[in-house]
Amino acid sequence: MASMRDIKRRKESIQSTSQITKAMKLVSTVKLQKAKGRAEETKPYFEKMYHTVSGMLAKSGGTENPYVTAKSDGGPKKKGVILITSNRGLAGGYNSNMIKLVTQGDFDRENTIIFPVGRKGLEAMKRQGYTCSGDFSEVMNNPLFGDAVSIGKTVTGALENGEIDEVYLAYTVFKNTVTQIPTLIKILPFSEEDIEEEQTEKEASEEKKGPVALMNYEPEEEETLGYIIPLYVNSLIFGALVEAVASENGARMQAMDSATSNAEEMIDTLGLQYNRARQAAITQELTEIVAGASAIS
């Protein structure tokens, strides 16, 4: 059995840690309320943006826009991944789940470029041997739409220059305080399956509501899509940033709550061990006193 001094020191150490985890939980709770409200307010807009652009492309037919038409040279696709993590740890499995989403997916090191948003993702992907382009870690402190535009320009520029052929967005969807879902979506080139699905839905709608007017562009189709699609990309990135901030604070709040509960359990256990050690020490002293008195008499 450990000595009373060792037990007391360990108990005091855990009590200090418990105070830190309680404080971090309170801070995360306050930040979560603000981030949650922001995510709930912005989510409908970005979902509508996605369906609107897919509807436009479904009505437009074939187009040679580089943001829409996938390259078909027969070689391996060069993929770019916008990976959104946090700048700090102590958030449970939040960061590790996002990193596994990429490392355990169909993204080999030779043909993948990571655009890291968050210091933890940047450090982890470099250790894994992936090529990282840029560092957008400061964005996670307080993401603004201008930050999403900056990231979007970097990624679409790499697509236009031929550095990458496809763009993916890896982020965490905030479902509720307890549940955050790691999500990976392809945002460029626009998926043909999505266009076909949207076209099927439109055709079904036409059968019910009658014919729908054709899509007309002013100015020309290519010029219009060249403006609309980057806006669509920036919107998705900003929506993902807002969702990620809410998810990070939710995950950290849960992690700190669990850590505090575990610390309290350990403190109770150490308290029992301390009392037992103290009782054993008292019993030992009494035994020695009685033995000494018996020897004298």
Side-chain angles (χ1 to χ4, degrees):
M1 180 181 294
S3 66
M4 293 173 57
R5 179 179 296 179
D6 293 338
I7 295 174
K8 186 176 181 179
R9 285 177 177 174
R10 188 179 179 193
K11 184 178 179 181
E12 291 174 349
S13 175
I14 294 175
Q15 286 174 334
S16 299
T17 303
S18 177
Q19 292 176 353
I20 295 173
T21 57
K22 283 181 181 179
M24 292 186 67
K25 177 188 174 183
L26 292 175
V27 172
S28 297
T29 301
V30 173
K31 289 183 176 181
L32 175 62
Q33 297 305 316
K34 181 179 179 181
K36 179 182 176 182
R38 193 180 184 191
E40 290 174 347
E41 289 174 359
T42 55
K43 191 170 185 178
Y45 168 78
F46 300 113
E47 290 181 346
K48 189 65 176 179
M49 170 65 79
Y50 177 82
H51 291 298
T52 299
V53 174
S54 62
M56 290 174 57
L57 294 174
K59 291 181 180 180
S60 300
T63 177
E64 296 300 323
N65 192 288
Y67 298 142
V68 180
T69 306
K71 295 181 180 179
S72 56
D73 54 5
K77 299 291 185 182
K78 298 179 181 178
K79 301 175 181 180
V81 182
I82 304 171
L83 177 62
I84 302 178
T85 57
S86 68
N87 290 332
R88 297 180 297 142
L90 300 177
Y94 173 78
N95 291 310
S96 60
N97 289 336
M98 292 307 304
I99 293 165
K100 289 178 182 177
L101 197 64
V102 177
T103 57
Q104 297 181 3
D106 187 24
F107 298 97
D108 60 272
R109 295 176 178 84
E110 291 75 17
N111 297 303
T112 302
I113 297 178
I114 304 296
F115 298 89
V117 185
R119 193 169 296 112
K120 291 298 179 181
L122 172 63
E123 294 171 354
M125 299 311 290
K126 282 186 175 180
R127 286 196 302 269
Q128 295 281 349
Y130 284 85
T131 301
C132 295
S133 177
D135 180 7
F136 305 97
S137 300
E138 295 302 321
V139 171
M140 296 307 297
N141 295 330
N142 183 29
L144 302 173
F145 190 77
D147 299 322
V149 172
S150 177
I151 298 171
K153 285 183 178 179
T154 301
V155 175
T156 54
L159 183 69
E160 293 172 356
N161 296 334
E163 298 176 22
I164 55 177
D165 301 323
E166 299 175 346
V167 179
Y168 292 81
L169 179 60
Y171 68 106
T172 307
V173 173
F174 178 80
K175 187 174 182 181
N176 52 51
T177 306
V178 180
T179 306
Q180 300 87 32
I181 306 172
T183 304
L184 179 69
I185 60 174
K186 179 182 177 183
I187 59 176
L188 288 177
F190 208 94
S191 172
E192 294 182 1
E193 290 78 7
D194 292 334
I195 297 176
E196 292 174 358
E197 181 180 352
E198 187 72 21
Q199 180 64 39
T200 302
E201 293 178 358
K202 293 295 182 182
E203 292 175 354
S205 177
E206 289 176 4
E207 292 179 359
K208 293 181 180 180
K209 300 181 181 179
V212 180
L214 296 175
M215 180 68 66
N216 294 321
Y217 290 95
E218 180 64 36
E220 294 300 322
E221 176 180 336
E222 298 298 326
E223 184 177 350
T224 303
L225 290 178
Y227 173 79
I228 292 293
I229 293 180
L231 179 60
Y232 145 84
V233 172
N234 298 337
S235 299
L236 288 185
I237 294 174
F238 181 64
L241 291 173
V242 173
E243 292 265 355
V245 171
S247 299
E248 176 191 348
N249 286 289
R252 181 169 289 111
M253 187 187 74
Q254 289 296 314
M256 294 301 99
D257 181 60
S258 298
T260 302
S261 299
N262 292 337
E264 290 174 352
E265 291 179 3
M266 294 179 68
I267 290 171
D268 292 340
T269 300
L270 290 171
L272 291 174
Q273 292 179 3
Y274 181 83
N275 291 334
R276 288 173 183 171
R278 183 169 176 270
Q279 290 172 358
I282 293 172
T283 302
Q284 180 67 26
E285 289 179 3
L286 290 174
T287 301
E288 292 175 354
I289 292 172
V290 171
S294 299
I296 293 173
S297 63

